[in-house]
Amino acid sequence: MNDYQKAILKSHEQVVTIAKSKPEILMTIPYFEDGVNKMAEIVIEIKDLSVIQDRDLTGITEDKTDLHNEVIDSLIEISGAVHAYAGKQGNKTLQALVNYKPSKVAHMDAHELIDACSNTVVEARKIPEADLAETGITSAEITEFDSILTRLKGSTGLRRTAVIDKKDITRRIAQLFAAAADIKKNTLERLAPQFQRKAPEFYNTYKDAANVIYHRSAPQKTLDLNAPTV
């Protein structure tokens, strides 16, 4: 949520808290009470969603970085082995296909790295196990390399999915704020004036809570709760 939304949410929470602290007054206007209850449900959902929205992708990023480094190390080792085998066979075409020096790999993006690893796995599996063993690499290591490559591909998709999910949450929060604004404008504000006569102390406290106090970098501003959500 942005700072303005946080200020609005705080106001909504105060309205709900103050209203529910006086159930005997609320029950005198059932429509007002119903509006407060709906507002309370919205506040709870917004707070729950904001926890997810504010949760960064640090864990995913750290895990992916470790996996990324592991894949790079394996690529350098296995492509080097295939390159050496190709050299002994006089196969310059194969050497060119797996010529992944550390300086080159270091500048690859995720897609380039995945392509390089995929090519290396394919070429390594074409080599007889006995010949591959002569280069210091076993078939089990090729299988493990393929496995961590698959995990890297999956982690890339996981981060993309997480970003998409956060966008969906942001849209839902915006919808909830719109619903709350409608309740405030068309129910609570329409009925609240009755309390000015029936329960003036409650009315004044409610009106104070209904104001949105928005702190920008410098002065404090009081904004209308019905203003469009940023």
Side-chain angles (χ1 to χ4, degrees):
M1 292 188 295
N2 58 42
D3 289 340
Y4 182 44
Q5 288 176 322
K6 290 176 182 178
I8 293 175
L9 181 61
K10 183 177 180 179
S11 173
H12 289 342
E13 285 187 280
Q14 290 175 337
V15 166
V16 170
T17 300
I18 289 169
K20 284 185 173 291
S21 70
K22 300 293 182 179
E24 71 283 0
I25 295 177
L26 269 189
M27 65 187 299
T28 63
I29 307 179
Y31 275 22
F32 189 93
E33 182 178 19
D34 183 58
V36 169
N37 289 336
K38 289 179 179 177
M39 182 78 80
E41 292 174 359
I42 289 173
V43 166
I44 290 172
E45 186 173 355
I46 290 176
K47 291 178 71 174
D48 288 345
L49 289 174
S50 67
V51 171
I52 301 173
Q53 184 190 50
D54 293 340
R55 185 183 301 147
D56 61 30
L57 303 177
T58 302
I60 294 175
T61 302
E62 290 176 350
D63 291 344
K64 184 180 174 184
T65 298
D66 291 342
L67 189 58
H68 187 272
N69 292 335
E70 187 177 355
V71 168
I72 285 177
D73 290 342
S74 295
L75 173 61
I76 292 171
E77 289 183 11
I78 295 175
S79 66
V82 176
H83 191 278
Y85 167 81
K88 190 170 184 178
Q89 299 297 315
N91 189 339
K92 296 188 179 297
T93 300
L94 178 56
Q95 281 187 308
L97 283 174
V98 295
N99 187 25
Y100 300 119
K101 296 179 180 179
S103 57
K104 181 178 180 180
V105 174
H107 294 90
M108 290 180 175
D109 61 26
H111 296 294
E112 291 171 333
L113 179 61
I114 289 172
D115 286 343
C117 292
S118 298
N119 291 337
T120 299
V121 167
V122 169
E123 297 303 328
R125 282 182 167 160
K126 294 178 182 177
I127 302 173
E129 285 190 28
D131 292 334
L132 192 61
E134 292 293 322
T135 68
I137 298 297
T138 66
S139 59
E141 288 176 302
I142 301 299
T143 299
E144 176 61 20
F145 179 39
D146 196 13
S147 175
I148 61 174
L149 174 58
T150 299
R151 285 163 50 206
L152 179 63
K153 292 176 182 177
S155 71
T156 301
L158 177 63
R159 183 175 177 83
R160 187 184 304 113
T161 299
V163 172
I164 292 172
D165 287 346
K166 290 188 75 172
K167 288 181 179 178
D168 289 340
I169 289 171
T170 298
R171 282 193 291 267
R172 176 57 180 164
I173 287 176
Q175 292 170 351
L176 290 168
F177 271 114
D182 181 67
I183 292 171
K184 170 66 169 57
K185 179 180 179 181
N186 296 311
T187 299
L188 303 187
E189 287 298 292
R190 292 290 183 176
L191 298 173
Q194 294 185 48
F195 292 120
Q196 192 168 14
R197 173 175 54 85
K198 299 175 181 178
E201 184 178 350
F202 174 81
Y203 174 78
N204 291 332
T205 306
Y206 161 79
K207 291 299 291 185
D208 286 341
N211 285 329
V212 178
I213 308 301
Y214 175 42
H215 295 276
R216 204 178 270 273
S217 56
Q220 176 174 300
K221 298 182 179 181
T222 301
L223 303 179
D224 184 353
L225 186 61
N226 298 318
T229 302
V230 177

